[in-house]
Amino acid sequence: MKRKNVKKLLCILLTGTMLLTGCGASEAGSAETESVPNASEAGTTAENAADEGSEAASEVSGKGPIAEEKVTYTLACQLSPNWGNPADGEFWQRLEEETNVHIEWVTYLESEADEKFKLLMASGDYPDGFIGALGGSDNDIVTYGSEGIYIPLNDLIDQYCPNFKQRVSEEYPDLMKMITCADGNIYGMPSVLYNPDIYNNTFINKKWLDAVGADVPETTEEFEAVLKKFKEEDPNGNGEADEIPMTFMFSDWGASDHGPYFGSFGYPLSPDYIMIDNKQVKYLGAEESFKKGAEWLGQLYSEGLVDRDIFTQDSSGMAAKVSQGNVGVFSSWDSTDAGDYADDYVALMPLKGPDGEQNALVEGITGFYKGRFMITDKAKNPEILMQWIDRFYENMEVGLNATYGIGPDEEKAWYYDEDNSIVFKKDAELPDAYIRGQQQLPFAPAILGSEVEDFLGNPAKNEINARMKQYTGKFEDGTWERWPSCYMTVEEKEDIATTETDLQDYSKNQLAKWIAGESDVNADWDNYLKELENVGLRHYLEVKQQIFDHYDSAE
């Protein structure tokens, strides 16, 4: 596959990861709820066709028809109110023509989807399969897989999914472990959207640095000195002490804004408060780096170098503040939050701490969804459905057509420019039929690709990621790992779910108090650790270790 940069996709991707938790609920259209056709009747022709050609089907190359005669399956999905029915979509119609597989769509509005799904499963009158963001939560996969309603896909993948197997082996070698349940079975096919190495970055105002005669700081000590200059030496030149030396959002994505600062003292703070160190699960809220980072941030705050709004501001509020050109340091995906002042900022690399620690946090796979296609025990000859879904994984273009927009075509959602780069057209430039969700099924199974620069189309971000990699050595050599997106048993999840929430809430609340100066981390630390134990830290880590060991030992 040729190397391509997808321009203008970043906002689409970030919106997509939150879309099904309440976004996209406009009244531009509506999805109809259909009754489920008799699944056994729908699969009868599939059974006959597969009986005649199963041997040839195992060698399918991803081209041409899957069945000699048209076969029909029922698939259920959920739609946002402004999404079109896949039955009318160009991609799906073309796929039917190519494969001879016809899909009877059962659609539910996302507002009713959870309730309808539960009723459907309880009634026993469920369809041949589920696709997209319906029925694919970890609980659904584990529950209905263990009950035999979702069928194991292991052997079907091995026999009938050459595209998927090739993409995984070349781009995501750990993916099979991530989609395998504790019982050793795979019940759902995944969607992998993109893979940034670093999520949020920190940006510092180079124009202000020049004004105060300072270089880009490289250590925590130099950073503090620069912030003091920003506060005291009027770098914006307006004669007023109105500069904000440093700002961020304390609650953004768990710890994406302030977490990187902790890397100067050991472990960078991950949003899930978990790190794997030499195969041992660590709760970061109990580590010395957490204490030292809290102490340092609290010192900066006490000196008036940190914005007082960090605990309350949201992304729009912070962006409005930064775009006024009155902030020295801020954290975000890229520097565009600064608006007209974006060119004044440069990326700040991880700071070297007092003990020489200088670590960046690797995000791993972002935009990853484990259960995006499940086949039920109602489906006759599921190998036909597996060959059909394998077409989704053929290459990036097919993945984009299935999940984001129809192309390549200058009159449709995306096209190649003269540099062979992918250009995504804005919704305002498109006919209604080609706006995202009208021709595709967002969150359908797909692998868009493993290299971030192939998809984000943001050269500045790519350059920052490349520079940041020199500080990710402990991830590169396998010393550190992020918590994998793996399945756990129902019992394991029930055992630690409440404890996990309680631990993180307690640590975050205490961290906020320590930064704000409402309490002293050094005076509190021993009692804080005792309270973590009272909440259940020891047992929590034992269970997490058990889950990780099982995942890590899988082939």
Side-chain angles (χ1 to χ4, degrees), residues 104-175:
E104 290 289 340
W105 292 95
V106 183
T107 64
Y108 302 107
L109 284 173
E110 61 180 333
S111 59
E112 63 179 4
D114 285 346
E115 180 183 356
K116 294 289 188 181
F117 173 74
K118 292 175 183 177
L119 292 173
L120 196 64
M121 302 309 282
S123 71
D125 192 24
Y126 44 82
D128 296 318
F130 294 90
I131 189 170
L134 180 66
S137 71
D138 282 13
N139 275 348
D140 295 333
I141 295 290
V142 172
T143 299
Y144 297 116
S146 64
E147 293 177 358
I149 294 175
Y150 289 170
I151 68 171
L153 305 179
N154 309 49
D155 293 340
L156 293 168
I157 291 172
D158 191 52
Q159 271 192 287
Y160 302 107
C161 295
N163 291 324
F164 178 73
K165 289 196 300 180
Q166 181 176 348
R167 298 290 300 282
V168 169
S169 66
E170 293 177 353
E171 302 174 46
Y172 295 97
D174 288 336
L175 188 62

Side-chain angles (χ1 to χ4, degrees), residues 34 80 96-97 100 144 155 164 189 240 244 261 266 287 309 366 383 387 394 398 470 489 513 516:
E34 305 172 6
S80 289
E96 178 176 335
E97 293 173 2
N100 252 353
Y144 297 116
D155 293 340
F164 178 73
M189 298 294 283
E240 300 179 20
I244 300 172
Y261 292 114
E287 296 298 318
D309 293 337
T366 306
E383 62 269 21
Q387 293 172 59
E394 183 177 354
V398 176
Q470 64 184 301
T489 66
K513 290 180 180 179

Side-chain angles (χ1 to χ4, degrees), residues 11-20 193 369 404 436 443:
C11 292
I12 300 174
L13 288 171
L14 292 177
T15 302
T17 59
M18 299 179 286
L19 190 58
L20 294 178
L193 302 185
Y369 306 93
Y404 281 102
R436 185 175 186 237
F443 302 97

Side-chain angles (χ1 to χ4, degrees), residues 12-322:
I12 300 174
L13 288 171
L14 292 177
T15 302
T17 59
M18 299 179 286
L19 190 58
L20 294 178
T21 58
C23 300
S26 70
E27 297 180 357
S30 63
E32 298 179 357
T33 301
E34 305 172 6
S35 61
V36 182
N38 185 291
S40 61
E41 292 178 2
T44 301
T45 53
E47 180 178 20
N48 294 335
D51 286 343
E52 296 175 2
S54 59
E55 182 177 349
S58 65
E59 301 174 356
V60 66
S61 66
K63 305 294 183 184
I66 294 172
E68 291 183 8
E69 298 180 3
K70 186 162 291 188
V71 294
T72 298
Y73 288 94
T74 58
L75 293 181
C77 65
Q78 74 179 49
L79 307 176
S80 289
N82 56 330
W83 292 356
N85 192 313
D88 303 321
E90 182 176 321
F91 170 79
W92 310 96
Q93 293 172 358
R94 188 166 65 233
L95 191 63
E96 178 176 335
E97 293 173 2
E98 293 176 356
T99 63
N100 252 353
V101 177
H102 172 72
I103 302 300
E104 290 289 340
W105 292 95
V106 183
T107 64
Y108 302 107
L109 284 173
E110 61 180 333
S111 59
E112 63 179 4
D114 285 346
E115 180 183 356
K116 294 289 188 181
F117 173 74
K118 292 175 183 177
L119 292 173
L120 196 64
M121 302 309 282
S123 71
D125 192 24
Y126 44 82
D128 296 318
F130 294 90
I131 189 170
L134 180 66
S137 71
D138 282 13
N139 275 348
D140 295 333
I141 295 290
V142 172
T143 299
Y144 297 116
S146 64
E147 293 177 358
I149 294 175
Y150 289 170
I151 68 171
L153 305 179
N154 309 49
D155 293 340
L156 293 168
I157 291 172
D158 191 52
Q159 271 192 287
Y160 302 107
C161 295
N163 291 324
F164 178 73
K165 289 196 300 180
Q166 181 176 348
R167 298 290 300 282
V168 169
S169 66
E170 293 177 353
E171 302 174 46
Y172 295 97
D174 288 336
L175 188 62
M176 297 303 288
K177 292 197 298 184
M178 297 167 72
I179 63 175
T180 300
C181 291
D183 64 2
N185 287 322
I186 296 170
Y187 298 106
M189 298 294 283
S191 179
V192 183
L193 302 185
Y194 63 115
N195 186 20
D197 296 306
I198 309 295
Y199 181 68
N200 272 10
N201 294 111
T202 301
F203 297 91
I204 189 166
N205 195 317
K206 183 64 168 61
K207 191 173 182 179
W208 283 15
L209 286 172
D210 294 341
V212 300
D215 295 325
V216 176
E218 297 180 356
T219 69
T220 52
E221 184 178 6
E222 292 172 356
F223 183 70
E224 182 176 358
V226 162
L227 293 183
K228 288 180 179 178
K229 286 178 175 290
F230 285 172
K231 178 184 178 183
E232 299 168 357
E233 297 184 15
D234 190 29
N236 66 8
N238 68 355
E240 300 179 20
D242 58 352
E243 289 84 357
I244 300 172
M246 171 184 177
T247 192
F248 56 84
M249 288 182 291
F250 181 80
S251 298
D252 179 51
W253 295 80
S256 291
D257 275 10
H258 61 280
Y261 292 114
F262 289 77
S264 302
F265 306 95
Y267 300 116
L269 185 60
S270 63
D272 60 2
Y273 273 57
I274 291 292
M275 188 73 74
I276 313 297
D277 187 342
N278 284 303
K279 305 300 181 182
Q280 295 298 308
V281 180
K282 302 284 186 179
Y283 178 70
L284 296 181
E287 296 298 318
E288 192 70 15
S289 56
F290 188 70
K291 175 185 176 183
K292 291 179 178 179
E295 182 181 16
W296 181 69
L297 287 172
Q299 178 182 330
L300 299 183
Y301 191 94
S302 69
E303 295 173 358
L305 305 179
V306 179
D307 186 5
R308 265 41 185 172
D309 293 337
I310 60 171
F311 303 108
T312 57
Q313 65 187 355
D314 58 15
S315 58
S316 60
M318 193 188 80
K321 184 181 299 180
V322 174

